Amino acid sequence: MDFGIWLGVFVLLSVWPSVRCSDLPRGAIETVCRDRYLLVTTQLSFAGNKPRFEAVDADGVHPITKQYGSECGYMFSILPLPGHAELRASYFSCHTDNQDDEVFTFSFNLITIDANRVEATYSVTATCSLPLPWSPREVSCEENYMEVSVRGEVSGLPGTKADDWTAALATAHSSATSTWQVMFQQEGQQLTPMSPSEARELGYVFYLTQGRLVFRSPYMPGSVMGSVTMVNGTLVEVVYPILVSRQRWVVIMVNLVVACSTDEGMYDGAGLVWQTPTLLSPLVSGLSGLESFKISMGVDGQLLDEPITAERGYSLDISDTTVQISIPFNAAGGYRKSFVMGNMYHEFYVVRLYYEHIFMDDSGVETRLRLHRPMNTPLLIQHLSIINQTVLEDRVFTVYLGNLSYDVDLVVVKLNGHDFTILEANKSGLVITMVPQPNSTLHAYILRVPFEDAVVHKLYSPEGLLQFSLDINYTLVILPQEEPFYYLASVVAQFNDVFPPVFKGICNEKSISFQMDHKPFDYLWEVGVGPYILTTNLAAKRGYIMQNDSKSLTLEVPLFSVGYTYKDINLKQFYGSFEIHSRLPKTLEVKSSLAKACLFQTTEVIVCSTEGVVTVVTDVTLAIPGAEPNGTFLLDSTCRPQETDDTRVLFSFGLHTCGTRVQVHHQHVTYENDINVEHKSQSVNAPVKSRDTASVVTVRCVYPLSDLYKLFAYWRFEADSPGVGTILTRVPVKTFPPTTLTTTRRPLTSTTTSNTGLSPGRQMPGINPRAKYVKVFSWQMNQPKGTT
């Protein structure tokens, strides 16, 4: 039969009138019949921190105090680690109703105390049927007492030396009384008979049941009747009573010696170790051929099968002299309790060992010894285990915090200075998961933080090293007092050969194209034009042609689109440049850029720079066929073209020079100047040709008024962005009377003429990004005196 099996029991629970039955939570009080005792447990959450029991019988109520429990067979303990209080009552305890040593009925009062110090009393009644037949001789080594019982028909039971029995017998014959007497054998002491009641006053209990003699003794090292002796390196407490009854000429003598190992166990750095002599010599001395028959072990009052003990790491080593039991630290079946001292995480480990040893003599007479022994380690500093389980390819920090006892909870994590509760972290895209540790009662927490999360620090070096770092401060608490302590950890993930996106620029006839092949870490940078992020909306607004797929990004920028800069303009060609860059989103620091400059053929161009210089190339013969370009000038006739050919002129002048007109509007400032030309004309009535001056082209630059913040404060032109230029050409007529020519706004690409008013003008869009990101060419051409 497996002695560790919990047997069913009929339990009657009743409550005093002051407490309703509905007030008793489920599982608040439980009873279980074990091999030789009744186990009553109550949860501390229900009973309070200081519950107590009373034994009830026909004579009244008997409080179970520490001393009374050790004398009467009750072991009461409060166990904060598992969170309950328990009472173990021997089947031979003082106030138990015993029917033929087979059926045992118990009655107790449980007194609970709540947080307001209000007491409540609950009646607990239980009946147990004997689950395992009695052995001829049984010894129980409880935590607070020793108990032995023998079959009543056994008299003159072996177990002492012949000389000892002879002395005991002589003393019994010389006594005047014929009732039962007790003699305590002690080495070097004369045997003195006393009555059982006199022995009871000393704390020793003798009584006779229907079929057994029972003796119980509290642990009393150094007492008059007991002794402590060393057996094979282990201290053993021994009490050696001899119960004697003389009836006529017959003397009945019963040896009720009881001996228990007092070893409390020790911590050897790896776990708890307990030992006892293989043969307790005070128990077996004089018995014929007594041998160890079977040894079993368990915890919490239950024996365990060998496969279970092996799985838990328990070891049972038996030699000729000693039995040694080893239980690893934190093995299943024990309890850990945590403490904080100076922000250091401490704990101790407790195991409630249960040991059974069966002896057998030559005649098959069995002696069964059972022992309860709580053991605990000293207070130990515990080192939490931190494991960086990050896999770079996943791009997620995975950090394992383990070796946490069941009474330790994680409440807050601080990630690079940002606090998160577990709930807040999980709502923010972070993941904190509690997981059990394999093959133990411990648990752990796994923290997952994506590299791209805002709390992660990112460090990039021009050498191509990309580093993600996370400083973690765990706030943990010890339950139930919620005492906090902190644990710090740092994790770093590094990638090599990581560079910002690389662009390739291609010059087309009327555009510049850019191409970028996508790489895994492109998301770390944003692609921009000036201060703006390159998006599909920006491209559509500015007329860029953009294609973006999983492999590459292609951008085609037509000439004269917003974002171009121009230099080295002459009548044949000029350079147009467009810059695209990648930058860090958080700091806006540009990490790579490509300013592609391409040579374009010059037809007509107007550039209004941020320095207040306008450069224009236009065909003056469109207004006056046959006009001589080298004869052109601005409103200030001293302002002449820098370069001419057969039809076109190139002017470059400051907006505050050469007679330029200025108009200030609500949101813009408009600058205009005219390109004039001397030409020959002939009146209808006059045969002689004359030279006249005509305005053939109006050059216009428009700037946002908000950009010219230094114009009026310092009388110096400085704009944040280039202006928008327009060339307005006068429409030619078939004859050239000395009258004012009409004007037309003609598209840049148009070469037709018209006599019917105005047509759309030729506009060159300016570059709109802020000047700090865009370098605009500063014109240094030869200018007439007085220009800027």
Side-chain angles (χ1 to χ4, degrees):
M1 179 181 294
D2 186 353
F3 304 145
I5 297 177
W6 287 25
L7 302 179
V9 61
F10 171 74
V11 179
L12 174 65
L13 292 178
S14 62
V15 294
W16 292 96
S18 60
V19 182
R20 299 190 306 273
C21 287
S22 58
D23 294 330
L24 187 63
R26 188 173 197 175
I29 302 174
E30 295 182 352
T31 61
V32 177
C33 294
R34 295 284 176 82
D35 291 343
R36 293 298 181 260
Y37 62 90
L38 170 72
L39 175 65
V40 183
T41 60
T42 179
Q43 298 299 314
L44 295 180
S45 58
F46 161 73
N49 293 328
K50 294 182 178 180
R52 63 185 188 273
F53 281 91
E54 297 172 336
V56 180
D57 62 8
D59 296 329
V61 175
H62 311 274
I64 299 177
T65 63
K66 183 177 181 180
Q67 179 179 348
Y68 193 80
S70 64
E71 294 176 359
C72 279
Y74 301 109
M75 173 58 204
F76 174 69
S77 55
I78 296 176
L79 308 172
L81 299 188
H84 67 256
E86 69 177 34
L87 173 68
R88 292 196 296 268
S90 168
Y91 287 165
F92 293 133
S93 52
C94 291
H95 307 287
T96 301
D97 182 49
N98 182 346
Q99 299 179 22
D100 300 327
D101 295 333
E102 296 289 337
V103 179
F104 306 89
T105 301
F106 302 84
S107 182
F108 300 103
N109 288 335
L110 168 64
I111 297 96
T112 64
I113 305 175
D114 64 16
N116 298 319
R117 303 197 178 197
V118 177
E119 292 190 356
T121 301
Y122 298 86
S123 176
V124 181
T125 303
T127 299
C128 295
S129 297
L130 188 69
L132 181 71
W134 293 104
S135 297
R137 185 185 192 196
E138 294 200 2
V139 177
S140 177
C141 299
E142 254 292 359
E143 294 183 38
N144 59 335
Y145 66 86
M146 301 180 291
E147 183 181 270
V148 60
S149 71
V150 297
R151 282 204 304 245
E153 68 271 17
V154 178
S155 63
L157 191 71
T160 59
K161 299 177 183 179
D163 294 342
D164 296 333
W165 280 112
T166 302
L169 183 61
T171 304
H173 273 292
S174 63
S175 176
T177 177
S178 62
T179 60
W180 285 100
Q181 292 183 314
V182 178
M183 294 180 291
F184 289 93
Q185 179 182 335
Q186 293 178 291
E187 187 174 355
Q189 299 289 330
Q190 183 179 0
L191 297 175
T192 303
M194 65 180 70
S195 67
S197 59
E198 290 174 327
R200 179 69 179 84
E201 293 178 359
L202 297 176
Y204 302 104
V205 175
F206 296 86
Y207 63 93
L208 181 66
T209 70
Q210 189 71 20
R212 301 184 72 84
L213 287 168
V214 180
F215 168 67
R216 186 182 305 113
S217 167
Y219 285 109
M220 294 187 293
S223 65
V224 176
M225 303 304 174
S227 64
V228 177
T229 183
M230 183 73 70
V231 180
N232 296 335
T234 301
L235 290 177
V236 176
E237 184 160 344
V238 182
V239 180
Y240 207 143
I242 302 173
L243 194 62
V244 181
S245 176
R246 187 180 66 179
Q247 299 176 1
R248 295 181 180 271
W249 297 102
V250 177
V251 177
I252 300 174
M253 303 184 65
V254 181
N255 175 9
L256 293 176
V257 62
V258 60
C260 294
S261 169
T262 60
D263 186 73
E264 296 181 350
M266 60 170 292
Y267 177 65
D268 65 354
L272 291 168
V273 179
W274 178 85
Q275 71 177 22
T276 185
T278 304
L279 293 177
L280 284 167
S281 55
L283 289 181
V284 303
S285 176
L287 295 181
S288 175
L290 191 70
E291 294 181 354
S292 173
F293 179 71
K294 183 180 179 181
I295 297 177
S296 303
M297 64 171 294
V299 292
D300 293 329
Q302 297 187 85
L303 297 176
L304 300 175
D305 294 332
E306 188 174 344
I308 296 178
T309 59
E311 179 183 352
R312 295 183 178 183
Y314 300 174
S315 67
L316 177 62
D317 298 320
I318 304 172
S319 69
D320 292 338
T321 57
T322 58
V323 176
Q324 187 175 87
I325 292 175
S326 298
I327 299 179
F329 182 85
N330 195 42
Y335 306 93
R336 296 173 71 166
K337 178 56 184 172
S338 304
F339 296 90
V340 176
M341 298 177 61
N343 198 45
M344 295 293 292
Y345 173 36
H346 297 72
E347 65 179 355
F348 65 84
Y349 176 66
V350 177
V351 173
R352 304 175 70 210
L353 177 67
Y354 185 52
Y355 173 79
E356 182 182 82
H357 197 161
I358 299 175
F359 305 91
M360 197 77 69
D361 66 10
D362 291 341
S363 303
V365 177
E366 181 181 277
T367 297
R368 188 183 296 260
L369 179 144
R370 297 180 180 91
L371 178 141
H372 297 264
R373 182 69 68 235
M375 302 185 295
N376 61 271
T377 67
L379 197 60
L380 305 172
I381 296 177
Q382 288 303 310
H383 301 283
L384 303 185
S385 61
I386 193 82
I387 303 174
N388 185 1
Q389 298 178 335
T390 302
V391 178
L392 291 180
E393 290 74 12
D394 296 340
R395 300 181 191 173
V396 175
F397 279 121
T398 303
V399 184
Y400 178 96
L401 177 68
N403 203 29
L404 295 170
S405 184
Y406 75 98
D407 60 348
V408 178
D409 273 0
L410 174 66
V411 292
V412 174
V413 290
K414 179 176 287 187
L415 305 175
N416 287 334
H418 301 274
D419 288 337
F420 296 92
T421 64
I422 295 180
L423 181 61
E424 291 170 344
N426 291 334
K427 286 183 177 180
S428 301
L430 315 177
V431 179
I432 301 177
T433 307
M434 185 177 72
V435 296
Q437 286 189 199
N439 302 321
S440 74
T441 60
L442 303 177
H443 66 278
Y445 291 92
I446 298 178
L447 169 67
R448 293 181 176 89
V449 182
F451 290 172
E452 296 80 13
D453 195 276
V455 301
V456 177
H457 288 167
K458 304 172 184 67
L459 180 63
Y460 177 77
S461 69
E463 292 78 19
L465 296 179
L466 176 62
Q467 188 178 90
F468 300 90
S469 62
L470 191 64
D471 292 333
I472 309 170
N473 187 346
Y474 296 93
T475 300
L476 303 118
V477 295
I478 306 296
L479 299 177
Q481 65 269 29
E482 296 189 355
E483 185 178 7
F485 69 101
Y486 307 94
Y487 191 79
L488 305 179
S490 295
V491 288
V492 175
Q494 181 171 298
F495 296 86
N496 300 321
D497 299 326
V498 177
F499 296 96
V502 177
F503 304 97
K504 297 178 183 178
I506 302 172
C507 295
N508 305 314
E509 182 179 357
K510 293 184 179 180
S511 65
I512 299 178
S513 296
F514 297 90
Q515 182 176 350
M516 179 191 77
D517 293 331
H518 288 310
K519 295 182 179 180
F521 289 99
D522 284 351
Y523 69 91
L524 296 173
W525 293 273
E526 58 185 25
V527 178
V529 177
Y532 301 100
I533 301 175
L534 180 60
T535 63
T536 55
N537 290 336
L538 182 71
K541 182 179 179 180
R542 294 187 174 185
Y544 305 161
I545 302 170
M546 186 172 73
Q547 293 181 343
N548 190 16
D549 55 32
S550 60
K551 294 183 178 180
S552 63
L553 167 68
T554 301
L555 181 69
E556 183 177 357
V557 185
L559 185 62
F560 302 122
S561 299
V562 176
Y564 268 95
T565 58
Y566 311 92
K567 62 183 293 186
D568 298 340
I569 301 175
N570 57 48
L571 295 178
K572 292 183 179 181
Q573 57 195 16
F574 66 93
Y575 282 99
S577 298
F578 191 90
E579 183 176 4
I580 188 170
H581 59 250
S582 59
R583 67 187 183 187
L584 296 175
K586 187 174 182 179
T587 65
L588 302 182
E589 181 182 1
V590 175
K591 288 298 183 180
S592 70
S593 64
L594 175 62
K596 183 65 177 179
C598 296
L599 196 60
F600 297 98
Q601 296 299 314
T602 304
T603 53
E604 288 190 311
V605 177
I606 181 171
V607 176
C608 304
S609 76
T610 57
E611 289 84 6
V613 176
V614 59
T615 302
V616 60
V617 175
T618 186
D619 187 346
V620 295
T621 63
L622 296 177
I624 303 179
E628 297 180 0
N630 58 3
T632 58
F633 53 87
L634 301 179
L635 290 176
D636 183 344
S637 59
T638 62
C639 295
R640 296 286 180 170
Q642 274 74 31
E643 189 176 351
T644 63
D645 60 11
D646 293 340
T647 60
R648 297 174 302 159
V649 296
L650 185 152
F651 281 93
S652 183
F653 57 92
L655 293 176
H656 292 290
T657 65
C658 298
T660 303
R661 298 184 295 270
V662 181
Q663 289 184 320
V664 179
H665 304 283
H666 180 63
Q667 293 182 339
H668 298 87
V669 178
T670 301
Y671 296 88
E672 288 186 348
N673 210 318
D674 294 337
I675 299 178
N676 302 302
V677 64
E678 291 181 352
H679 65 94
K680 297 177 181 180
S681 63
Q682 182 176 356
S683 174
V684 176
N685 299 325
V688 180
K689 295 182 179 180
S690 61
R691 298 187 65 86
D692 293 326
T693 300
S695 175
V696 294
V697 176
T698 297
V699 178
R700 177 181 297 162
C701 287
V702 179
Y703 291 87
L705 184 61
S706 59
D707 282 359
L708 303 179
Y709 55 90
K710 292 186 179 180
L711 176 61
F712 302 105
Y714 302 105
W715 294 95
R716 184 173 81 245
F717 190 98
E718 184 175 329
D720 282 342
S721 59
V724 178
T726 307
I727 301 174
L728 299 97
T729 304
R730 303 287 178 173
V731 177
V733 294
K734 292 181 180 179
T735 59
F736 301 97
T739 58
T740 304
L741 298 176
T742 60
T743 64
T744 181
R745 297 175 180 265
R746 183 168 54 82
L748 182 63
T749 57
S750 174
T751 57
T752 60
T753 60
S754 173
N755 293 318
T756 59
L758 300 175
S759 63
R762 298 173 293 169
Q763 295 188 353
M764 307 289 185
I767 303 171
N768 290 319
R770 298 184 63 83
K772 67 181 287 188
Y773 291 102
V774 181
K775 296 178 67 176
V776 180
F777 178 71
S778 178
W779 304 102
Q780 300 295 333
M781 298 182 179
N782 294 328
Q783 299 180 14
K785 184 177 181 181
T787 63
T788 60

